[in-house]
Amino acid sequence: MDKASQRSLFETEPDPWTLDSASEQRVAEIAFADPPHGPFSYKVPETLRAPLVAGQRVQVPLGKGNRGVIGYCLRVELKAVGSRPLKEVLAVVDPAPLLSPAMLRLAEWISSYYLCPLGQVLHAVLPAGVRGQAGTREMTFLSVPANVLAQLNSLQLPLKQLEALKTLAAAPRPLTPPELAAAAKCTLGPISELRKKKLIKGTVQRIQNVDVVESVIAREEHLNLNKDQQSALDVIIESLSKRQHRAVLMHGVTGSGKTEVYIRAIDEVLRFGRQAIVLVPEISLTPQTKQRFASRFGSVAVLHSHLSDAERHWHWQRIAKGEVQVVIGARSAIFAPTPQLGLIVIDEEHDHSFKQGESPRYHARDVAVQRAKAENVPLVLGSATPALESWQAAARGEFQLIEMPTRVSNRPLPDVATIDLRTEFQDRRSRGAISRPLHNAIEQAIAEDGQVILLLNRRGYSTHIQCPSCGYVANCPHCSIALTHHREGERIVCHYCDHQEQAPAKCPDCRFDGIRYSGLGTERLEAEVKARFQQVPVLRMDSDTMQKPGSHEQALAKFRAGEIKILLGTQMIAKGLDFPNVTLVGVVNADTALHFPDFRAAERTFQLVTQVAGRTGRGDKGGRVLVQTFSPEHFAIQAALQHDYVLFAQKELPVRLDHGYPPHTSLVRLIVRGDEEAITEAFAEQATERFRAALEQQKIPHRILGPAPCPLARLRGKYRFHSLLSSIDGPQLRQRVGLVAAALEPHAEVQWVLDVDPLDLL
Ligand code: ADP
Ligand code: ZN
């Protein structure tokens, strides 16, 4: 019997810290955030002071120059000494693992599903504030070693030193040098003398500097659930009490009381001593949301994007210690290190902000499914307009569907009517964005002391700048996109790269002085509304006016208090707001999203109109919705008029099937960008050919569109080409594409990425 198997007879757990032979060594696998990502094997030397386990970061030499680099330890194993000597780990960075074994496995899944290096995933899983230990500092704590304590009374020392030593020996806990100096009424001198004589031991510890003051919120009682809410809750509780994973898709119309169901389910989870994670779109991380949860639970952490690194680190530590019951945050909160997770909730699960736009390009919903399965806990997905991917998953039986078809307290859904802009355009007396019927409705709503929400999903003043004399169009010099005129500062701005110029009064090409500014943005809409309703307080809400931290909350607070009568803005105002006094919602142009070069254009339009319509009729006064459109007969708008998700899905799913698009297939998008158009295109063609050849060779059913210039053919000065690879066999598609991609040689002049399950096709 060889030595290794003999040992395994006697040892239940292999322990990499007991080395019993010169022929073996401890080997750590280390992955890196930056290329080369590894993982590479390193020897763990005996001389390393701290033990090393998976989930800790280490410093190791990398590359020819052996520069010291920080990497993530994936595992430590005992291995036979090979013929080639391994480089050695230089130091262990973290005193305790930052990543649990479960979190490492989740990261491995993300890495293999999203075709992204594991080191890069781990880098994204850990917040920057945690990696940098933000808001902490190192402090020395002094104590008296046991052997010194034993001879305390027989020591011959100068009086000051003896007093300091006795004070420390009597202290209930280790003290810092200044603390000891104060307690012993001496200077730091005697203390450092004692340390030199090794009569006092100093240990260095990292402690948290910040103490975030959390506001205290008054407790509120639970509401009495109605029948639909109760049956939804029962399904979740059943899964909780069986300790079984289950994914539940809660399709409930706007105002059906979904949040109340989440709250009660969380309540149940806390009774088992477990924690809950609630994901919401970033824009919903308002004090209103916090208030709703914090008034019901003892300890809630809200992870919004305005937190400092130190605050984020502070929350992370508390969560990891199990001190937080409910974590509420945007997509990255799915990585919250809750020690005993009991439930994951994703509100507005259709929202595109759950997908990360840079590597790792994960979708928090899919990560949540994996995490919930691995930790054997329920996952609740809620929406009035579920993503078709989720709807199909429910149809396949992967998600359990719960319907909540009515609003709470039997409130009716608002009446929705369209205003046909084609006829309005023909017999319009006044020019502008607001048609006569919409104008009249606003006037009436204000007269009856209601409030109004106006949606226009385009910011700026004018969205198109053209010279009628020579045809010049103001485009971004770095991107293939028109510049938008912003009145504020009289600038013309690129909404993609932020390039800015002074707004021209004359045509820069032919000097004609009648250059035309047209196309409607929120800034211009605001000017028009103010001109039409002069005494009425108006507020514009878009990413231009909401740049300062807290401005979003302040704006909503003013609207809630009734100081603002008309709130207008981009999709920001379509989400989650619950204001009972809103009696009119106007969609200024429902078609902005409809003609986007994206197969999800109809879905986005349906979601946006349905969601914004849901902001009215939440109080006793009722509410109505007017939708201005050039395509009132389009099924996405028709379905939104009737609040009919099922109708929408029935019309849209066959279209997707015809074109081979998700949710019937899985997609991988290759994006290639570079400074030279021809080189970039050539690389895109070569890469696409390799993918095609591999998929054909393996007989994997597939379809490839492209390569073609991206709809945004130039961005920040780079040319962009893309290909869309699709297959009904997602796992095979991803696996093959991943293998081919790993073998693609890097190219000095182009960069490329793969986007698995892309949402953004620009
Ligand atoms: P959704 O998340 O489905 O849009 P909400 O949970 O925001 O719906 O509920 C809409 C409104 O109805 C909220 O003001 C909420 O306080 C109230 N509400 C929810 N459930 C009940 C209930 N069972 N009884 C009375 N009011 C309720
Ligand atoms: Zn630009």
Side-chain angles (χ1 to χ4, degrees), residues 223-226 229 252-262 292 296 347-348 404 408-409 411 576 578 615 618:
L223 301 169
N224 285 327
L225 296 187
N226 65 28
Q229 287 174 314
V253 295
T254 53
S256 56
K258 296 184 286 294
T259 310
E260 200 57 36
V261 178
Y262 309 148
R292 256 181 117 170
R296 310 292 185 86
D347 191 28
E348 312 286 5
M404 295 176 47
V408 289
S409 314
R411 292 211 174 97
D578 186 22
R615 299 311 116 213
R618 288 176 167 255

Side-chain angles (χ1 to χ4, degrees), residues 475-483 493-500 712 714-717:
N475 282 327
C476 177
H478 315 293
C479 310
S480 47
I481 201 91
L483 294 171
V493 179
C494 172
H495 283 177
Y496 283 86
C497 75
D498 221 27
H499 167 86
Q500 307 202 355
L712 259 175
R714 267 183 87 219
L715 184 62
R716 295 185 186 89

